[in-house]
Amino acid sequence: MSDYRERKALIGGGAVVWTRTAGAGPQRVLPDGCTDLIWSGTGPDGELIVAGPDTRAHLASGPPGTHAVGLRFAPGAGPAVLGVPAHELRDLRVPLAALWPDAEVRRLAERIAERTAEPTAGRAAERIAGCESAPGRVLEEAALGRLRTAEPPDPVLAAIVAGISRGTGVAGIAAAVGLGERQLHRRSLAAFGYGPKTLGRVLRLNRALDLARTGVRFAEVAATAGYADQAHLAREVRTLTGVPLSRLLAAPGG
């Protein structure tokens, strides 16, 4: 069974640092509207990759016991750090070197290697537990450095996410933020990786799963999360995750 943990990231803005130790078989990573900067402990020095915003579940695999540490950015926050519009990364896993200068990626990899090798008390225990703190802190430092020189965030993003989360239609959101619907779609593609309707489906899925994991009945989950009925919930879960809701909740980690 894989081991997964997360904590709030020091950079704020809804970002989290997560750690995973691979178990037997692939792990189903569900769409959440986020982008991730990831260090994977594969190979002698590990590798740095970027996971774009997904429109469907992604099966992450690796040899059992492999450690991975990621910095997950909240919807809309990744492009400022990664330096590319989110739609260019949609449904992709790409080497960080494809986005950042080789020298910058090399320095980042070297800092992770140095920190991981430090003979700090408890470091070995952290590695055994799959809670690799050193790579996570280096990723946070790199993100903070990039944010200091990045353009200010698009001021309409928070209002777009809030409107979508309330179930407001595209026309209503566009009017509220002072954009035409086409402009709203373009800004959403750049920030989130997909248009507001798709982002709405992804965020609604995650609301539904949060409820279902607490034991709420599926019919009540559907009504509370904004689905037309339980059948609509079932169709959306299968489309976006690839499996029925009951099977998804029964899997290790739920």
Side-chain angles (χ1 to χ4, degrees):
M1 182 183 298
S2 65
D3 177 61
Y4 176 87
R5 308 177 189 191
E6 66 178 41
R7 64 168 173 81
K8 290 183 179 180
L10 300 177
I11 66 173
V16 301
V17 173
W18 56 263
T19 65
R20 181 174 72 91
T21 303
Q27 179 189 10
R28 191 175 301 274
V29 180
L30 305 183
D32 56 10
C34 302
T35 51
D36 297 66
L37 175 57
I38 302 170
W39 174 86
S40 173
T42 55
D45 301 316
E47 62 177 340
L48 289 159
I49 61 175
V50 171
D54 292 323
T55 58
R56 58 188 181 277
H58 170 80
L59 294 179
S61 59
T66 301
H67 298 304
V69 183
L71 175 58
R72 178 180 300 125
F73 304 102
V81 175
L82 301 175
V84 296
H87 66 82
E88 294 187 11
L89 301 171
R90 185 173 56 233
D91 291 320
L92 295 178
R93 304 295 185 270
V94 301
L96 181 61
L99 307 180
W100 293 5
D102 288 342
E104 186 174 357
V105 176
R106 189 164 52 250
R107 286 194 299 270
L108 180 58
E110 289 170 353
R111 288 204 303 273
I112 291 175
E114 290 169 0
R115 297 277 190 92
T116 305
E118 288 173 357
T120 304
R123 182 76 67 192
E126 287 180 352
R127 283 200 290 270
I128 292 171
C131 188
E132 295 274 6
S133 60
R137 291 200 173 91
V138 175
L139 295 179
E140 288 176 293
E141 291 166 4
L144 283 170
R146 286 210 143 221
L147 286 171
R148 292 189 189 101
T149 59
E151 294 291 329
D154 190 333
V156 304
L157 298 186
I160 292 173
V161 172
I164 290 171
S165 298
R166 289 193 299 268
T168 306
V170 172
I173 294 173
V177 298
L179 297 174
E181 291 187 33
R182 289 185 178 180
Q183 289 177 304
L184 174 65
H185 188 78
R186 285 196 298 270
R187 302 269 274 271
S188 295
L189 284 178
F192 309 116
Y194 21 65
K197 288 184 178 180
T198 300
L199 179 62
R201 292 177 65 201
V202 169
L203 296 181
R204 183 175 59 187
L205 169 71
N206 283 271
R207 289 197 302 273
L209 293 178
D210 287 343
L211 287 169
R213 289 178 181 123
T214 67
V216 176
R217 293 178 300 124
F218 291 175
E220 186 177 346
V221 169
T224 304
Y227 293 92
D229 51 30
Q230 188 173 336
H232 183 204
L233 166 66
R235 289 194 303 272
E236 281 289 274
V237 170
R238 185 182 284 274
T239 298
L240 293 173
T241 73
V243 294
L245 179 56
S246 57
R247 179 178 166 188
L248 192 65
L249 296 177

